[in-house]
PDB file of all heavy atoms in Angstrom:
ATOM      1  N   GLU A 253      -7.997 -11.299   7.235  1.00 91.00           N
ATOM      2  CA  GLU A 253      -8.234 -12.011   8.458  1.00 91.00           C
ATOM      3  C   GLU A 253      -9.593 -12.666   8.452  1.00 91.00           C
ATOM      4  O   GLU A 253      -9.844 -13.705   9.035  1.00 91.00           O
ATOM      5  CB  GLU A 253      -8.099 -11.133   9.702  1.00 91.00           C
ATOM      6  CG  GLU A 253      -6.729 -10.518   9.913  1.00 91.00           C
ATOM      7  CD  GLU A 253      -6.666  -9.143   9.449  1.00 91.00           C
ATOM      8  OE1 GLU A 253      -7.550  -8.655   8.646  1.00 91.00           O
ATOM      9  OE2 GLU A 253      -5.750  -8.412   9.895  1.00 91.00           O
ATOM     10  N   ASN A 254     -10.609 -11.934   7.929  1.00 92.00           N
ATOM     11  CA  ASN A 254     -11.991 -12.272   8.073  1.00 92.00           C
ATOM     12  C   ASN A 254     -12.564 -12.966   6.905  1.00 92.00           C
ATOM     13  O   ASN A 254     -12.420 -12.462   5.745  1.00 92.00           O
ATOM     14  CB  ASN A 254     -12.753 -10.997   8.357  1.00 92.00           C
ATOM     15  CG  ASN A 254     -12.132 -10.110   9.425  1.00 92.00           C
ATOM     16  OD1 ASN A 254     -11.910 -10.573  10.518  1.00 92.00           O
ATOM     17  ND2 ASN A 254     -11.819  -8.880   9.069  1.00 92.00           N
ATOM     18  N   MET A 255     -13.227 -14.111   7.132  1.00 95.00           N
ATOM     19  CA  MET A 255     -13.858 -14.820   6.025  1.00 95.00           C
ATOM     20  C   MET A 255     -15.237 -15.232   6.454  1.00 95.00           C
ATOM     21  O   MET A 255     -15.517 -15.512   7.635  1.00 95.00           O
ATOM     22  CB  MET A 255     -13.013 -16.035   5.609  1.00 95.00           C
ATOM     23  CG  MET A 255     -11.664 -15.639   5.048  1.00 95.00           C
ATOM     24  SD  MET A 255     -10.700 -17.008   4.400  1.00 95.00           S
ATOM     25  CE  MET A 255     -11.518 -17.292   2.825  1.00 95.00           C
ATOM     26  N   PHE A 256     -16.128 -15.368   5.455  1.00 95.00           N
ATOM     27  CA  PHE A 256     -17.575 -15.554   5.745  1.00 95.00           C
ATOM     28  C   PHE A 256     -18.175 -16.577   4.725  1.00 95.00           C
ATOM     29  O   PHE A 256     -17.711 -16.585   3.590  1.00 95.00           O
ATOM     30  CB  PHE A 256     -18.306 -14.222   5.557  1.00 95.00           C
ATOM     31  CG  PHE A 256     -17.742 -13.105   6.382  1.00 95.00           C
ATOM     32  CD1 PHE A 256     -16.613 -12.396   5.929  1.00 95.00           C
ATOM     33  CD2 PHE A 256     -18.329 -12.775   7.613  1.00 95.00           C
ATOM     34  CE1 PHE A 256     -16.114 -11.347   6.727  1.00 95.00           C
ATOM     35  CE2 PHE A 256     -17.769 -11.731   8.376  1.00 95.00           C
ATOM     36  CZ  PHE A 256     -16.670 -11.048   7.920  1.00 95.00           C
ATOM     37  N   TRP A 257     -19.138 -17.264   5.199  1.00 97.00           N
ATOM     38  CA  TRP A 257     -19.974 -18.105   4.298  1.00 97.00           C
ATOM     39  C   TRP A 257     -21.442 -17.668   4.459  1.00 97.00           C
ATOM     40  O   TRP A 257     -21.993 -17.575   5.572  1.00 97.00           O
ATOM     41  CB  TRP A 257     -19.886 -19.577   4.639  1.00 97.00           C
ATOM     42  CG  TRP A 257     -18.727 -20.286   4.039  1.00 97.00           C
ATOM     43  CD1 TRP A 257     -17.573 -20.674   4.610  1.00 97.00           C
ATOM     44  CD2 TRP A 257     -18.609 -20.671   2.651  1.00 97.00           C
ATOM     45  NE1 TRP A 257     -16.764 -21.308   3.738  1.00 97.00           N
ATOM     46  CE2 TRP A 257     -17.358 -21.324   2.548  1.00 97.00           C
ATOM     47  CE3 TRP A 257     -19.427 -20.567   1.549  1.00 97.00           C
ATOM     48  CZ2 TRP A 257     -16.934 -21.838   1.284  1.00 97.00           C
ATOM     49  CZ3 TRP A 257     -18.998 -21.063   0.345  1.00 97.00           C
ATOM     50  CH2 TRP A 257     -17.771 -21.718   0.232  1.00 97.00           C
ATOM     51  N   TYR A 258     -22.025 -17.361   3.277  1.00 96.00           N
ATOM     52  CA  TYR A 258     -23.407 -16.980   3.194  1.00 96.00           C
ATOM     53  C   TYR A 258     -24.139 -17.990   2.225  1.00 96.00           C
ATOM     54  O   TYR A 258     -23.521 -18.537   1.338  1.00 96.00           O
ATOM     55  CB  TYR A 258     -23.594 -15.603   2.594  1.00 96.00           C
ATOM     56  CG  TYR A 258     -23.270 -14.426   3.546  1.00 96.00           C
ATOM     57  CD1 TYR A 258     -22.018 -14.013   3.694  1.00 96.00           C
ATOM     58  CD2 TYR A 258     -24.312 -13.796   4.174  1.00 96.00           C
ATOM     59  CE1 TYR A 258     -21.705 -12.948   4.529  1.00 96.00           C
ATOM     60  CE2 TYR A 258     -24.041 -12.711   5.022  1.00 96.00           C
ATOM     61  CZ  TYR A 258     -22.721 -12.306   5.218  1.00 96.00           C
ATOM     62  OH  TYR A 258     -22.463 -11.209   6.039  1.00 96.00           O
ATOM     63  N   ARG A 259     -25.451 -18.110   2.388  1.00 97.00           N
ATOM     64  CA  ARG A 259     -26.219 -18.725   1.390  1.00 97.00           C
ATOM     65  C   ARG A 259     -27.223 -17.679   0.872  1.00 97.00           C
ATOM     66  O   ARG A 259     -27.697 -16.793   1.676  1.00 97.00           O
ATOM     67  CB  ARG A 259     -26.970 -20.005   1.884  1.00 97.00           C
ATOM     68  CG  ARG A 259     -27.957 -19.860   2.988  1.00 97.00           C
ATOM     69  CD  ARG A 259     -28.590 -21.176   3.284  1.00 97.00           C
ATOM     70  NE  ARG A 259     -29.626 -21.605   2.344  1.00 97.00           N
ATOM     71  CZ  ARG A 259     -30.297 -22.720   2.331  1.00 97.00           C
ATOM     72  NH1 ARG A 259     -30.086 -23.624   3.302  1.00 97.00           N
ATOM     73  NH2 ARG A 259     -31.220 -22.982   1.466  1.00 97.00           N
ATOM     74  N   GLN A 260     -27.580 -17.805  -0.371  1.00 95.00           N
ATOM     75  CA  GLN A 260     -28.468 -16.828  -0.983  1.00 95.00           C
ATOM     76  C   GLN A 260     -29.650 -17.537  -1.609  1.00 95.00           C
ATOM     77  O   GLN A 260     -29.475 -18.421  -2.490  1.00 95.00           O
ATOM     78  CB  GLN A 260     -27.741 -15.984  -2.048  1.00 95.00           C
ATOM     79  CG  GLN A 260     -28.579 -14.873  -2.660  1.00 95.00           C
ATOM     80  CD  GLN A 260     -27.783 -13.992  -3.600  1.00 95.00           C
ATOM     81  OE1 GLN A 260     -26.848 -14.426  -4.250  1.00 95.00           O
ATOM     82  NE2 GLN A 260     -28.147 -12.704  -3.647  1.00 95.00           N
ATOM     83  N   ASP A 261     -30.858 -17.179  -1.158  1.00 93.00           N
ATOM     84  CA  ASP A 261     -32.112 -17.812  -1.721  1.00 93.00           C
ATOM     85  C   ASP A 261     -33.022 -16.713  -2.125  1.00 93.00           C
ATOM     86  O   ASP A 261     -33.118 -15.641  -1.504  1.00 93.00           O
ATOM     87  CB  ASP A 261     -32.740 -18.667  -0.612  1.00 93.00           C
ATOM     88  CG  ASP A 261     -31.771 -19.750  -0.112  1.00 93.00           C
ATOM     89  OD1 ASP A 261     -31.634 -20.703  -0.864  1.00 93.00           O
ATOM     90  OD2 ASP A 261     -31.292 -19.657   1.031  1.00 93.00           O
ATOM     91  N   PRO A 262     -33.808 -16.937  -3.209  1.00 88.00           N
ATOM     92  CA  PRO A 262     -34.705 -15.909  -3.740  1.00 88.00           C
ATOM     93  C   PRO A 262     -35.671 -15.422  -2.652  1.00 88.00           C
ATOM     94  O   PRO A 262     -36.292 -16.204  -1.915  1.00 88.00           O
ATOM     95  CB  PRO A 262     -35.490 -16.667  -4.825  1.00 88.00           C
ATOM     96  CG  PRO A 262     -34.555 -17.795  -5.247  1.00 88.00           C
ATOM     97  CD  PRO A 262     -33.795 -18.156  -3.997  1.00 88.00           C
ATOM     98  N   GLY A 263     -35.813 -14.107  -2.546  1.00 85.00           N
ATOM     99  CA  GLY A 263     -36.710 -13.507  -1.588  1.00 85.00           C
ATOM    100  C   GLY A 263     -36.217 -13.414  -0.154  1.00 85.00           C
ATOM    101  O   GLY A 263     -36.723 -12.681   0.631  1.00 85.00           O
ATOM    102  N   LEU A 264     -35.077 -14.116   0.105  1.00 88.00           N
ATOM    103  CA  LEU A 264     -34.507 -14.118   1.433  1.00 88.00           C
ATOM    104  C   LEU A 264     -33.191 -13.380   1.565  1.00 88.00           C
ATOM    105  O   LEU A 264     -32.707 -13.056   2.621  1.00 88.00           O
ATOM    106  CB  LEU A 264     -34.310 -15.509   1.964  1.00 88.00           C
ATOM    107  CG  LEU A 264     -35.571 -16.371   2.094  1.00 88.00           C
ATOM    108  CD1 LEU A 264     -35.198 -17.780   2.524  1.00 88.00           C
ATOM    109  CD2 LEU A 264     -36.535 -15.790   3.094  1.00 88.00           C
ATOM    110  N   GLY A 265     -32.559 -13.128   0.388  1.00 89.00           N
ATOM    111  CA  GLY A 265     -31.270 -12.414   0.419  1.00 89.00           C
ATOM    112  C   GLY A 265     -30.181 -13.309   0.866  1.00 89.00           C
ATOM    113  O   GLY A 265     -30.238 -14.532   0.941  1.00 89.00           O
ATOM    114  N   LEU A 266     -29.081 -12.711   1.321  1.00 93.00           N
ATOM    115  CA  LEU A 266     -27.939 -13.392   1.824  1.00 93.00           C
ATOM    116  C   LEU A 266     -28.054 -13.607   3.319  1.00 93.00           C
ATOM    117  O   LEU A 266     -28.321 -12.664   4.060  1.00 93.00           O
ATOM    118  CB  LEU A 266     -26.646 -12.601   1.568  1.00 93.00           C
ATOM    119  CG  LEU A 266     -26.000 -12.753   0.166  1.00 93.00           C
ATOM    120  CD1 LEU A 266     -26.766 -11.909  -0.838  1.00 93.00           C
ATOM    121  CD2 LEU A 266     -24.517 -12.309   0.233  1.00 93.00           C
ATOM    122  N   ARG A 267     -27.888 -14.823   3.741  1.00 94.00           N
ATOM    123  CA  ARG A 267     -27.977 -15.119   5.222  1.00 94.00           C
ATOM    124  C   ARG A 267     -26.622 -15.770   5.624  1.00 94.00           C
ATOM    125  O   ARG A 267     -26.075 -16.644   4.965  1.00 94.00           O
ATOM    126  CB  ARG A 267     -29.128 -16.092   5.484  1.00 94.00           C
ATOM    127  CG  ARG A 267     -30.466 -15.443   5.248  1.00 94.00           C
ATOM    128  CD  ARG A 267     -31.605 -16.448   5.516  1.00 94.00           C
ATOM    129  NE  ARG A 267     -31.633 -17.518   4.542  1.00 94.00           N
ATOM    130  CZ  ARG A 267     -32.256 -18.672   4.645  1.00 94.00           C
ATOM    131  NH1 ARG A 267     -32.981 -18.913   5.761  1.00 94.00           N
ATOM    132  NH2 ARG A 267     -32.273 -19.580   3.685  1.00 94.00           N
ATOM    133  N   LEU A 268     -26.114 -15.291   6.743  1.00 94.00           N
ATOM    134  CA  LEU A 268     -24.807 -15.667   7.220  1.00 94.00           C
ATOM    135  C   LEU A 268     -24.846 -17.029   7.905  1.00 94.00           C
ATOM    136  O   LEU A 268     -25.660 -17.263   8.859  1.00 94.00           O
ATOM    137  CB  LEU A 268     -24.323 -14.599   8.215  1.00 94.00           C
ATOM    138  CG  LEU A 268     -22.894 -14.803   8.787  1.00 94.00           C
ATOM    139  CD1 LEU A 268     -21.863 -14.801   7.648  1.00 94.00           C
ATOM    140  CD2 LEU A 268     -22.610 -13.724   9.808  1.00 94.00           C
ATOM    141  N   ILE A 269     -23.998 -17.939   7.489  1.00 96.00           N
ATOM    142  CA  ILE A 269     -23.937 -19.262   8.046  1.00 96.00           C
ATOM    143  C   ILE A 269     -22.853 -19.351   9.157  1.00 96.00           C
ATOM    144  O   ILE A 269     -23.191 -19.682  10.315  1.00 96.00           O
ATOM    145  CB  ILE A 269     -23.618 -20.274   6.965  1.00 96.00           C
ATOM    146  CG1 ILE A 269     -24.645 -20.212   5.841  1.00 96.00           C
ATOM    147  CG2 ILE A 269     -23.650 -21.735   7.574  1.00 96.00           C
ATOM    148  CD1 ILE A 269     -24.300 -21.055   4.592  1.00 96.00           C
ATOM    149  N   TYR A 270     -21.630 -19.034   8.801  1.00 96.00           N
ATOM    150  CA  TYR A 270     -20.526 -19.022   9.739  1.00 96.00           C
ATOM    151  C   TYR A 270     -19.520 -17.964   9.282  1.00 96.00           C
ATOM    152  O   TYR A 270     -19.506 -17.626   8.123  1.00 96.00           O
ATOM    153  CB  TYR A 270     -19.777 -20.352   9.719  1.00 96.00           C
ATOM    154  CG  TYR A 270     -20.258 -21.391  10.753  1.00 96.00           C
ATOM    155  CD1 TYR A 270     -21.128 -22.399  10.439  1.00 96.00           C
ATOM    156  CD2 TYR A 270     -19.701 -21.340  12.051  1.00 96.00           C
ATOM    157  CE1 TYR A 270     -21.567 -23.296  11.395  1.00 96.00           C
ATOM    158  CE2 TYR A 270     -20.115 -22.316  12.990  1.00 96.00           C
ATOM    159  CZ  TYR A 270     -21.024 -23.250  12.650  1.00 96.00           C
ATOM    160  OH  TYR A 270     -21.434 -24.217  13.554  1.00 96.00           O
ATOM    161  N   PHE A 271     -18.705 -17.505  10.279  1.00 94.00           N
ATOM    162  CA  PHE A 271     -17.623 -16.635   9.929  1.00 94.00           C
ATOM    163  C   PHE A 271     -16.408 -16.904  10.738  1.00 94.00           C
ATOM    164  O   PHE A 271     -16.483 -17.596  11.783  1.00 94.00           O
ATOM    165  CB  PHE A 271     -18.038 -15.149   9.938  1.00 94.00           C
ATOM    166  CG  PHE A 271     -18.539 -14.658  11.244  1.00 94.00           C
ATOM    167  CD1 PHE A 271     -17.796 -13.860  12.012  1.00 94.00           C
ATOM    168  CD2 PHE A 271     -19.860 -14.972  11.665  1.00 94.00           C
ATOM    169  CE1 PHE A 271     -18.283 -13.306  13.212  1.00 94.00           C
ATOM    170  CE2 PHE A 271     -20.291 -14.462  12.872  1.00 94.00           C
ATOM    171  CZ  PHE A 271     -19.537 -13.664  13.675  1.00 94.00           C
ATOM    172  N   SER A 272     -15.282 -16.369  10.352  1.00 95.00           N
ATOM    173  CA  SER A 272     -14.009 -16.601  11.042  1.00 95.00           C
ATOM    174  C   SER A 272     -13.148 -15.363  11.047  1.00 95.00           C
ATOM    175  O   SER A 272     -13.006 -14.699   9.950  1.00 95.00           O
ATOM    176  CB  SER A 272     -13.277 -17.761  10.327  1.00 95.00           C
ATOM    177  OG  SER A 272     -11.946 -17.863  10.834  1.00 95.00           O
ATOM    178  N   TYR A 273     -12.609 -15.010  12.207  1.00 91.00           N
ATOM    179  CA  TYR A 273     -11.727 -13.848  12.313  1.00 91.00           C
ATOM    180  C   TYR A 273     -10.266 -14.176  12.263  1.00 91.00           C
ATOM    181  O   TYR A 273      -9.413 -13.277  12.258  1.00 91.00           O
ATOM    182  CB  TYR A 273     -12.075 -13.110  13.583  1.00 91.00           C
ATOM    183  CG  TYR A 273     -13.379 -12.365  13.515  1.00 91.00           C
ATOM    184  CD1 TYR A 273     -14.208 -12.420  14.609  1.00 91.00           C
ATOM    185  CD2 TYR A 273     -13.739 -11.640  12.451  1.00 91.00           C
ATOM    186  CE1 TYR A 273     -15.486 -11.789  14.572  1.00 91.00           C
ATOM    187  CE2 TYR A 273     -14.947 -10.999  12.388  1.00 91.00           C
ATOM    188  CZ  TYR A 273     -15.799 -11.078  13.457  1.00 91.00           C
ATOM    189  OH  TYR A 273     -17.015 -10.414  13.393  1.00 91.00           O
ATOM    190  N   ASP A 274      -9.970 -15.465  12.320  1.00 91.00           N
ATOM    191  CA  ASP A 274      -8.558 -15.827  12.376  1.00 91.00           C
ATOM    192  C   ASP A 274      -8.451 -17.329  12.174  1.00 91.00           C
ATOM    193  O   ASP A 274      -9.441 -18.053  12.253  1.00 91.00           O
ATOM    194  CB  ASP A 274      -7.924 -15.411  13.738  1.00 91.00           C
ATOM    195  CG  ASP A 274      -6.421 -15.242  13.623  1.00 91.00           C
ATOM    196  OD1 ASP A 274      -5.826 -15.638  12.652  1.00 91.00           O
ATOM    197  OD2 ASP A 274      -5.860 -14.741  14.626  1.00 91.00           O
ATOM    198  N   VAL A 275      -7.234 -17.772  11.969  1.00 94.00           N
ATOM    199  CA  VAL A 275      -7.004 -19.153  11.812  1.00 94.00           C
ATOM    200  C   VAL A 275      -7.546 -19.931  13.016  1.00 94.00           C
ATOM    201  O   VAL A 275      -7.324 -19.527  14.187  1.00 94.00           O
ATOM    202  CB  VAL A 275      -5.534 -19.479  11.604  1.00 94.00           C
ATOM    203  CG1 VAL A 275      -5.268 -20.955  11.519  1.00 94.00           C
ATOM    204  CG2 VAL A 275      -5.007 -18.793  10.336  1.00 94.00           C
TER     205      VAL A 275
END
Side-chain angles (χ1 to χ4, degrees):
Chain A
E253 297 100 342
N254 311 304
M255 296 187 74
F256 306 82
W257 275 106
Y258 284 83
R259 62 178 283 177
Q260 186 174 29
D261 301 288
L264 297 177
L266 277 77
R267 293 179 291 165
L268 182 63
I269 305 171
Y270 267 97
F271 58 107
S272 170
Y273 289 134
D274 202 350
V275 176

